[in-house]
Amino acid sequence: MAVSSLKYRADKGVEESSKGVIVYDGRPAEFFDWEFRTSLKYEILKTESDAGKRVKIINQVIDGLRGDALQTAQDLGISELIKNEGLDKLIKEIKEMVFPQKNLEAKELYDQGHRSGGLLTKQAGESMLSYISRRRRWWRLLQEMDSSIQLSEDIRGDLLLDHSGLTKDQQLMILTSTSNATGFERIAQALMEQHGKNRTTERQAES
C-alpha cells in the first residue's frame, strides 16, 4: 500500500547496487525513494545527447532492479528502454504495477491521515522536521492518487497540529504564536520554532 511509504523509519539507509544505484524490488514502501532517485537520473538523461551515455544510465537503473520491478522492465523490453523516453516509461510502468488500484490507495491514505495514533502521527523519537515532512508527502501522494480529494490549508494545518504529539497546552502555545491561524505552513513554522530541536518522546495530546 502507498501509505506504507509514509511510515516513520529511524534508519533510512538504502541498499545500493555495485554501480551506485538504489536497489528496488517492487515493494510499495520503497517505491517513492526509488522514483525520486531514478527521476533525477531521467532529468540528467534528457540533457545528454550522446546515446551511449543514455544507455549507460538506463543500464545502471536496471542493474538495481530486483523481483517484480525487474520483471516489469523485462516485459517492457530492451527496444523500449533504450528509446529517449524509455526511462520515463519504465518509471510509469513500475508505478502502475506497484499501485494498481489508486482509488483504494487514496481511501487508505485519507483514513490514515485522520486517524488518531496512526502511522501519520508523530512517533516516539521522531524529529519535528521528519514528522512535518511526512505530512507534506502524505498530501502530495493523496493528490497524486486522487486529485478530486480536497482539503483546505486550514484543515491540513489542524491535522498537523492535532497529530503532533503535543499536549493541549503546547498546542495552545502554537496557536497563540500564529494568532490562531491554522494554515499548514504557519503551523509547520511554529512547530519548528518551538519544538524543532526536541527529539524526546512527547506524550500524545489528549483528545
Side-chain angles (χ1 to χ4, degrees):
M1 297 290 284
V3 71
S4 63
S5 68
L6 300 173
K7 185 177 180 180
Y8 170 63
R9 294 175 177 83
D11 180 10
K12 295 186 178 181
V14 294
E15 182 184 354
E16 294 186 348
S17 73
S18 60
K19 296 180 181 178
V21 296
I22 186 171
V23 172
Y24 180 62
D25 62 4
R27 285 178 291 183
E30 283 78 40
F31 173 79
F32 294 99
D33 284 342
W34 176 82
E35 180 189 36
F36 174 78
R37 295 189 182 202
T38 306
S39 294
L40 179 58
K41 286 184 177 293
Y42 176 65
E43 292 303 315
I44 295 173
L45 183 152
K46 290 194 296 187
T47 68
E48 300 286 355
S49 58
D50 188 331
K53 292 180 180 179
R54 184 177 70 249
V55 172
K56 182 179 179 180
I57 290 176
I58 293 172
N59 184 52
Q60 289 175 346
V61 172
I62 299 300
D63 185 61
L65 297 182
R66 305 286 188 273
D68 291 339
L70 178 58
Q71 184 62 57
T72 300
Q74 291 173 335
D75 291 344
L76 193 56
I78 294 174
S79 60
E80 288 295 322
L81 288 168
I82 63 175
K83 289 181 180 179
N84 289 341
E85 304 299 319
L87 189 52
D88 186 41
K89 188 170 184 178
L90 174 63
I91 294 171
K92 291 178 180 178
E93 291 287 328
I94 289 180
K95 190 170 190 175
E96 290 179 4
M97 179 273 293
V98 175
F99 305 115
Q101 297 177 301
K102 287 188 175 182
N103 289 340
L104 292 178
E105 297 281 355
K107 183 179 184 301
E108 175 63 16
L109 282 167
Y110 184 89
D111 290 344
Q112 283 288 346
H114 291 74
R115 188 174 299 172
S116 179
L119 63 83
L120 279 163
T121 59
K122 187 174 180 295
Q123 303 298 303
E126 182 179 14
S127 70
M128 192 61 73
L129 178 62
S130 170
Y131 165 65
I132 293 170
S133 177
R134 290 195 301 120
R135 296 296 306 201
R136 284 197 180 102
R137 286 189 286 122
W138 166 73
W139 177 241
R140 289 198 301 267
L141 184 54
L142 184 57
Q143 286 288 282
E144 191 171 338
M145 293 295 172
D146 188 348
S147 60
S148 69
I149 295 176
Q150 297 297 318
L151 288 175
S152 70
E153 279 279 317
D154 287 338
I155 290 176
R156 291 196 293 119
D158 284 335
L159 290 171
L160 179 67
L161 185 58
D162 288 345
H163 299 288
S164 63
L166 302 182
T167 66
K168 290 293 185 182
D169 287 343
Q170 289 172 324
Q171 290 185 32
L172 182 59
M173 289 295 293
I174 294 292
L175 291 174
T176 298
S177 71
T178 66
S179 300
N180 289 319
T182 59
F184 184 93
E185 294 304 330
R186 288 289 299 277
I187 296 296
Q189 181 180 357
L191 287 171
M192 286 301 300
E193 289 174 351
Q194 296 184 36
H195 300 279
K197 295 182 179 180
N198 185 5
R199 297 179 71 87
T200 59
T201 303
E202 299 94 345
R203 72 178 179 84
Q204 294 293 326
E206 296 177 356
S207 57

